[in-house]
Amino acid sequence: MQNRMMITGAGSGLGREIALRWAREGWHLALSDVSEPGLQETLKMVREAGGDGFIQRCDVRDYSQLTAFAQACEEKLGGIDVIVNNAGVASGGFFSELSLEDWDWQIAINLMGVVKGCKAFLPLLEQSKGKIINIASMAALMQGPAMSNYNVAKAGVVALSESLLIELAQQEVAVHVVCPSFFQTNLLDSFRGPTPAMKAQVGKLLESSPISAADIADYIYQQVAAGEFMILPHEQGRMAWAIKQKNPQLLYNEMTTMADKMRAKAKQNNA
């Protein structure tokens, strides 16, 4: 069949745009999210775009909900060809400000949610010789300041994807990892951080992005078709990654300067 896709975090943002991009090719989509209204809206748009599918509320922190979702895919679609582990949350704050609860929350959703998604759906993917698409972030590669828990969770997604790329080659299950930079999204709806100023700074970065979630979904579609493992949708991101590979210290210095500026700005705001 080769036209059945599962997406977590499909109720809005990049998850929704990925659903719409594949829907335009007539795919059957299994859509999950913690937001039921968002899922209903996405499914309506998917049908208008030429696709079809079903929705199921699913919290990626709960493995039993993911295995139930995999079972629903088998019952309703006869299996699955592509999974997109996209569900994620944003957070920020300097390491000294972040609580251990902030760390647990971030790792549970952004890293373990992806691990559990891969685990729950692997048996179906082995049957279909399908594909895994894990959504990480440029934060996984560049480790910007004041977002250590986010950086670590997303770096874990890249490491997991690299591990699976090698381990699943024999089973003919393809693996891709996507590392977008900031883009226009509703990620801030879930933002958790110690200071409102940090949320405002991230908000500005998201709004100023020249690239939309729809652009990224289209880029992912093309790069997956081309068999590319590491998918970097932003040109600036590709340039920064090339610089880091050649001269990591240059980037660390740049990030240190950025951290100093952020601290100075925070002091001004608190004055």
Side-chain angles (χ1 to χ4, degrees), residues 39-57:
L39 281 176
Q40 300 275 11
E41 183 66 18
T42 301
L43 184 59
K44 183 169 164 279
M45 293 166 81
V46 155
R47 286 177 173 152
E48 285 164 4
D52 201 3
F54 73 96
I55 59 173
Q56 188 158 320
R57 191 188 179 281

Side-chain angles (χ1 to χ4, degrees), residues 228-244:
E228 195 65 46
F229 165 67
M230 175 85 76
I231 299 174
L232 309 177
H234 291 72
E235 196 179 348
Q236 275 182 309
R238 294 193 286 275
M239 283 157 57
W241 179 228
I243 290 168
K244 186 174 180 182

